Each structure stands twice: as C-alpha cells, then as structure tokens.
Amino acid sequence: STISVGHCFYFRGGAELLFDGVKKHQVTLPCQPEPWDIRNLLRWIRQNLLKERPELFMQGESVRPGILVLINDADWELMGELDYKLQDQDNVLFISTLHGG
C-alpha cells in the first residue's frame, strides 16, 4: 500500500540521549511503493531522528548489539527482525541495555 502510516517509536535505557533526550516520537512515515520494514525504518530513523553518535545506535544496517527492539511489546526476534513489515499504529520500542561510563 502507498498509504502513509502512523507509528510511535520509543527510546529508553539511555538510547533517548541520542535523540535529544526525547523518549517518544510520533511519526507518520512517508508513502513509498513497498511496505515499510524494520530495515528501511532504521535507515529512516538514522537520517531523520538520530541526533548524534549513530554508531551507538546502529551497526551496519541493524541496531548495534545491546539494543533491544520490541514491536508491540514482542521481541523483534519473534517477528522477523529486519524483515518485519510495519503495520499501521505499530509501536516500536528501542531499549539500550548498555550502561557505560
């Protein structure tokens, strides 16, 4: 579908510090011919939301180890990870489990 869809993205556990301290982003993704999947979403987040130090959030085309991803409260590993196709109103939660100093 080419309909733009609305989502909430949440950043917790320190991940929000890479996004100007904002923990919740309500986003309508731009229309595109193919459905949005997590791979495309991460690229979009890096280009549009991420404010600093992308290497602390991304590694290659995925999130870096130590960042937990939940889609509607389910572990993304159960949902197909990067290949999961976003549905309208999905909530995606990114939790950093890395606590450095």
Side-chain angles (χ1 to χ4, degrees):
S1 83
T2 54
I3 302 162
S4 60
V5 287
H7 303 287
C8 280
F9 306 129
Y10 300 89
F11 302 93
R12 299 270 199 282
E16 70 276 5
L17 300 177
L18 305 174
F19 297 87
D20 275 353
V22 179
K23 290 187 174 185
K24 178 181 178 181
H25 296 258
Q26 285 193 281
V27 169
T28 300
L29 292 169
C31 298
Q32 62 173 34
E34 297 296 310
W36 280 87
D37 58 19
I38 298 291
R39 182 178 285 105
N40 292 331
L41 171 66
L42 288 171
R43 193 177 301 134
W44 186 89
I45 286 175
R46 183 171 57 199
Q47 290 168 348
N48 295 278
L49 295 181
L50 194 57
K51 299 298 184 196
E52 56 185 288
R53 300 176 74 183
E55 73 279 0
L56 293 183
F57 184 69
M58 303 273 304
Q59 187 171 81
E61 62 178 11
S62 189
V63 292
R64 64 171 288 171
I67 292 184
L68 191 62
V69 183
L70 299 177
I71 301 166
N72 302 323
D73 298 322
D75 190 323
W76 76 325
E77 291 178 6
L78 306 174
M79 315 282 282
E81 298 191 4
L82 293 171
D83 295 322
Y84 173 79
K85 301 277 190 286
L86 283 170
Q87 311 295 313
D88 193 20
Q89 308 302 324
D90 273 356
N91 292 325
V92 185
L93 174 61
F94 299 91
I95 307 169
S96 175
T97 59
L98 304 170
H99 299 285

